[in-house]
PDB file of all heavy atoms in Angstrom:
ATOM      1  N   SER A   2      27.746  19.058 -22.554  1.00 41.00           N
ATOM      2  CA  SER A   2      27.310  18.526 -21.265  1.00 41.00           C
ATOM      3  C   SER A   2      25.789  18.577 -21.105  1.00 41.00           C
ATOM      4  O   SER A   2      25.215  17.859 -20.308  1.00 41.00           O
ATOM      5  CB  SER A   2      27.964  19.297 -20.119  1.00 41.00           C
ATOM      6  OG  SER A   2      27.501  20.631 -20.137  1.00 41.00           O
ATOM      7  N   VAL A  51      -2.742 -14.466  14.050  1.00 94.00           N
ATOM      8  CA  VAL A  51      -3.665 -13.816  13.117  1.00 94.00           C
ATOM      9  C   VAL A  51      -4.604 -12.928  13.931  1.00 94.00           C
ATOM     10  O   VAL A  51      -5.115 -13.347  14.970  1.00 94.00           O
ATOM     11  CB  VAL A  51      -4.485 -14.878  12.352  1.00 94.00           C
ATOM     12  CG1 VAL A  51      -5.522 -14.222  11.451  1.00 94.00           C
ATOM     13  CG2 VAL A  51      -3.554 -15.776  11.547  1.00 94.00           C
ATOM     14  N   ALA A 123     -12.069 -20.494   6.299  1.00 97.00           N
ATOM     15  CA  ALA A 123     -10.787 -20.865   5.681  1.00 97.00           C
ATOM     16  C   ALA A 123     -10.682 -22.370   5.432  1.00 97.00           C
ATOM     17  O   ALA A 123      -9.981 -22.809   4.522  1.00 97.00           O
ATOM     18  CB  ALA A 123      -9.630 -20.397   6.558  1.00 97.00           C
ATOM     19  N   GLY A 186      19.936  21.170   3.183  1.00 97.00           N
ATOM     20  CA  GLY A 186      20.056  22.617   2.972  1.00 97.00           C
ATOM     21  C   GLY A 186      18.723  23.340   3.205  1.00 97.00           C
ATOM     22  O   GLY A 186      17.658  22.766   3.016  1.00 97.00           O
ATOM     23  N   HIS A 232      -1.302   2.084   7.021  1.00 98.00           N
ATOM     24  CA  HIS A 232      -1.012   2.455   5.632  1.00 98.00           C
ATOM     25  C   HIS A 232       0.450   2.218   5.257  1.00 98.00           C
ATOM     26  O   HIS A 232       0.775   2.153   4.074  1.00 98.00           O
ATOM     27  CB  HIS A 232      -1.394   3.916   5.367  1.00 98.00           C
ATOM     28  CG  HIS A 232      -2.877   4.111   5.362  1.00 98.00           C
ATOM     29  ND1 HIS A 232      -3.589   4.312   6.535  1.00 98.00           N
ATOM     30  CD2 HIS A 232      -3.779   4.095   4.358  1.00 98.00           C
ATOM     31  CE1 HIS A 232      -4.874   4.422   6.223  1.00 98.00           C
ATOM     32  NE2 HIS A 232      -5.012   4.292   4.927  1.00 98.00           N
ATOM     33  N   ARG A 276     -12.423   0.264 -10.108  1.00 66.00           N
ATOM     34  CA  ARG A 276     -12.719   1.691  -9.911  1.00 66.00           C
ATOM     35  C   ARG A 276     -11.479   2.252  -9.246  1.00 66.00           C
ATOM     36  O   ARG A 276     -10.989   1.679  -8.292  1.00 66.00           O
ATOM     37  CB  ARG A 276     -13.906   1.894  -8.950  1.00 66.00           C
ATOM     38  CG  ARG A 276     -15.139   1.118  -9.310  1.00 66.00           C
ATOM     39  CD  ARG A 276     -16.115   1.150  -8.130  1.00 66.00           C
ATOM     40  NE  ARG A 276     -17.202   0.199  -8.291  1.00 66.00           N
ATOM     41  CZ  ARG A 276     -17.106  -1.101  -8.029  1.00 66.00           C
ATOM     42  NH1 ARG A 276     -15.977  -1.619  -7.602  1.00 66.00           N
ATOM     43  NH2 ARG A 276     -18.142  -1.879  -8.195  1.00 66.00           N
ATOM     44  N   ASN A 279      -8.272   7.420  -5.097  1.00 53.00           N
ATOM     45  CA  ASN A 279      -6.978   7.853  -4.556  1.00 53.00           C
ATOM     46  C   ASN A 279      -5.839   7.784  -5.576  1.00 53.00           C
ATOM     47  O   ASN A 279      -4.737   7.396  -5.242  1.00 53.00           O
ATOM     48  CB  ASN A 279      -6.574   6.997  -3.335  1.00 53.00           C
ATOM     49  CG  ASN A 279      -7.584   7.122  -2.221  1.00 53.00           C
ATOM     50  OD1 ASN A 279      -8.278   8.134  -2.139  1.00 53.00           O
ATOM     51  ND2 ASN A 279      -7.686   6.127  -1.367  1.00 53.00           N
ATOM     52  N   TYR A 307      14.890  -1.442   3.172  1.00 98.00           N
ATOM     53  CA  TYR A 307      14.641  -2.782   2.630  1.00 98.00           C
ATOM     54  C   TYR A 307      14.566  -3.813   3.752  1.00 98.00           C
ATOM     55  O   TYR A 307      13.706  -4.699   3.747  1.00 98.00           O
ATOM     56  CB  TYR A 307      15.747  -3.169   1.636  1.00 98.00           C
ATOM     57  CG  TYR A 307      15.630  -4.605   1.158  1.00 98.00           C
ATOM     58  CD1 TYR A 307      14.595  -4.983   0.295  1.00 98.00           C
ATOM     59  CD2 TYR A 307      16.524  -5.589   1.583  1.00 98.00           C
ATOM     60  CE1 TYR A 307      14.472  -6.309  -0.133  1.00 98.00           C
ATOM     61  CE2 TYR A 307      16.404  -6.900   1.163  1.00 98.00           C
ATOM     62  CZ  TYR A 307      15.375  -7.266   0.311  1.00 98.00           C
ATOM     63  OH  TYR A 307      15.239  -8.565  -0.097  1.00 98.00           O
TER      64      TYR A 307
END
Side-chain angles (χ1 to χ4, degrees):
S2 65
V51 176
H232 290 84
R276 308 167 192 80
N279 299 334
Y307 174 71

